[in-house]
Amino acid sequence: MAGPGNSKKVHFNSSPRPTLGVEWEVALVDKTTRDLSNTAAAVFEACPDLHSGDRHPQITKELLKNTVELVSGVHDTVGEVVDELRATQDAVRRVADPLGVDLFCAGTHPFAQWSTQQLTRSVHYDELIERTQWWGRQMLIWGVHVHVGISHPDKVFPILNHLLPSYPHLLALSASSPMWAGVDTGYASNRALMFQQLPTAGLPFQFDNWSQFEGYVYDQTKTGVFEQLGGMHWDIRPAPKWGTIEVRICDGTPSKAELSALVALIHCLIVDLDRRVESGETLPDILPPWHVQENKWRAARYGLDAIVITDADSNERLVTDDLMDMLNRLEPTAKSLGCENELALVADIPKRGASYQRQRRVAAAAQGDLVAVVDSLVHELEQ
């Protein structure tokens, strides 16, 4: 922690209401080989209206040239966000199709090799690779980032800290990266553990208040760990520029229905905590960092079969049992936010199997042919 008086003021552009914004990373795959296709530049060239002009950019470049990030505007409801993202996805698909490219989304690609992927050149990405070297080049991963508006910086860390017990639920539900470079890793989310190898990635610190966070930013910028807050890649982080808490836990989400469900769950969790903080309610003791870390590993390893630690007294429960109680508790919040239908979709994920389970079923039925897994993921994204 920074010494007395050593802090860097971080202005938080407070959001007047709990708005929503989502970034959905989507990969490009060859229609024939089903390997990744480094054709993002051609996609961008074919649809300039989506990333330039007066509107917010609806697609942006990512570290790798096989990826297009779909970006929503600021909305009030889950339905509005997902409808915009789906329209953007359809527009990207129309220009990708004549290039011989399909769209794909999961936390990892089942068999692609990281060494054959091309990097997007920019000052930020060049600096990232120069610093992180082999681990940075390994980041052949995709995720979903959800922003929820917060009205005051003093509420950010009380909300963030009390959101951490829900971390394994979100990771288990979204886990879609069981395979890496042609091998089944034995994990539900290999992506979660890959990404935390970057020096500023992984679980957030549990600060007591905003001024402690400002002290941390002072330390990090003074020592050159990062020059801007965008270089802080926590799984859940404040986004002061937008006045949001940004949840970056979820693996790449392979369908509109699952995206709707996960965004609704995140929106409800944060708004529920926001309202409880606002009302002055005394919240439960925060989950110790060692329990948070263990829960992340258990969810990454076992997915929906994880036994998670639920409280500071070290009680444990099957994640899906705890999830059902969570959904019941959040129903009134969902109704007030107009996302009760989307929240109800969360319960469907364990019933049909999370993506990591579905991918393994397809691979087994195809006798290990991972091209069939990509086919199934491309088909899911089209629905």
Side-chain angles (χ1 to χ4, degrees):
M1 185 58 60
N6 289 342
S7 65
K8 181 181 180 68
K9 288 298 180 185
V10 179
H11 177 67
F12 187 81
N13 288 318
S14 300
S15 301
R17 60 191 192 281
T19 51
L20 265 179
V22 174
E23 299 152 4
W24 191 7
E25 294 172 347
V26 173
L28 306 171
V29 294
D30 186 272
K31 284 180 178 287
T32 303
T33 68
R34 288 315 196 193
D35 202 351
L36 289 168
S37 175
N38 290 284
T39 49
V43 169
F44 272 81
E45 185 177 346
C47 50
D49 54 312
L50 294 182
H51 59 89
S52 60
D54 296 332
R55 294 194 64 191
H56 74 273
Q58 294 169 276
I59 60 172
T60 60
K61 297 177 181 177
E62 276 295 315
L63 173 64
L64 297 171
K65 290 185 177 181
N66 56 40
T67 301
V68 174
E69 183 176 65
L70 314 180
V71 183
S72 82
V74 178
H75 295 283
D76 290 308
T77 69
V78 175
E80 292 169 352
V81 168
V82 174
D83 284 348
E84 183 189 358
L85 289 171
R86 185 55 187 265
T88 302
Q89 182 193 112
D90 290 344
V92 172
R93 185 176 282 111
R94 284 193 294 272
V95 301
D97 191 62
L99 298 172
V101 170
D102 279 326
L103 305 187
F104 159 101
C105 190
T108 55
H109 186 283
F111 62 83
Q113 301 294 318
W114 67 267
S115 57
T116 64
Q117 308 309 313
Q118 298 174 15
L119 296 167
T120 300
R121 299 303 303 271
S122 75
V123 172
H124 172 66
Y125 290 143
D126 289 353
E127 180 184 346
L128 174 67
I129 295 301
E130 170 59 29
R131 184 169 187 231
T132 60
Q133 293 293 305
W134 188 84
W135 275 115
R137 290 284 285 120
Q138 291 280 314
M139 292 297 123
L140 197 58
I141 54 178
W142 298 272
V144 172
H145 307 155
V146 181
H147 290 260
V148 178
I150 304 297
S151 63
H152 196 281
D154 288 347
K155 295 198 290 185
V156 168
F157 282 97
I159 293 171
L160 188 156
N161 293 341
H162 286 91
L163 187 62
L164 287 169
S166 304
Y167 187 115
H169 307 67
L170 293 169
L171 183 56
L173 287 164
S174 68
S176 62
S177 50
M179 299 164 195
W180 176 260
V183 175
D184 190 319
T185 65
Y187 283 77
S189 175
N190 192 51
R191 167 194 163 271
L193 302 185
M194 287 287 300
F195 190 51
Q196 70 182 18
Q197 302 308 315
L198 296 183
T200 62
L203 292 167
F205 294 108
Q206 297 183 23
F207 295 118
D208 293 332
N209 51 52
W210 190 255
S211 63
Q212 284 187 0
F213 173 65
E214 291 178 323
Y216 162 82
V217 173
Y218 172 87
D219 287 348
Q220 300 298 90
T221 53
K222 182 177 180 179
T223 56
V225 177
F226 54 70
E227 295 182 357
Q228 54 183 356
L229 286 176
M232 181 184 69
H233 298 109
W234 292 348
D235 298 335
I236 311 174
R237 66 182 182 182
K241 179 180 179 180
W242 309 115
T244 65
I245 288 175
E246 181 184 4
V247 178
R248 301 156 53 87
I249 295 168
C250 296
D251 272 7
T253 307
S255 71
K256 177 185 175 183
E258 281 172 305
L259 181 70
S260 298
L262 291 164
V263 173
L265 180 54
I266 291 168
H267 200 198
C268 289
L269 284 167
I270 291 178
V271 171
D272 173 63
L273 285 168
D274 191 330
R275 290 172 178 174
R276 292 162 70 185
V277 169
E278 187 76 34
S279 69
E281 179 181 335
T282 300
L283 298 175
D285 291 341
I286 63 174
L287 202 61
W290 46 92
H291 286 345
V292 175
Q293 180 175 302
E294 175 64 13
N295 276 345
K296 176 179 179 176
W297 185 86
R298 292 184 186 186
R301 170 65 178 87
Y302 299 109
L304 292 172
D305 293 319
I307 305 293
V308 298
I309 305 163
T310 57
D311 55 36
D313 292 327
S314 303
N315 292 303
E316 296 175 289
R317 200 175 186 201
L318 180 64
V319 69
T320 47
D321 289 344
D322 201 57
L323 175 67
M324 293 304 110
D325 286 349
M326 178 188 293
L327 294 177
N328 289 333
R329 178 174 59 82
L330 292 173
E331 280 182 4
T333 304
K335 188 171 183 179
S336 72
L337 294 172
C339 65
E340 59 266 44
N341 292 336
E342 289 90 348
L343 186 69
L345 295 173
V346 173
D348 292 339
I349 297 175
K351 292 176 185 175
R352 65 191 292 255
S355 180
Y356 74 93
Q357 295 170 315
R358 302 196 302 271
Q359 289 180 49
R360 285 180 172 142
R361 288 201 296 261
V362 171
Q367 299 181 316
D369 179 8
L370 299 185
V371 169
V373 177
V374 179
D375 283 339
S376 69
L377 287 162
V378 168
H379 178 69
E380 284 191 27
L381 196 59
E382 290 173 342
Q383 303 308 302

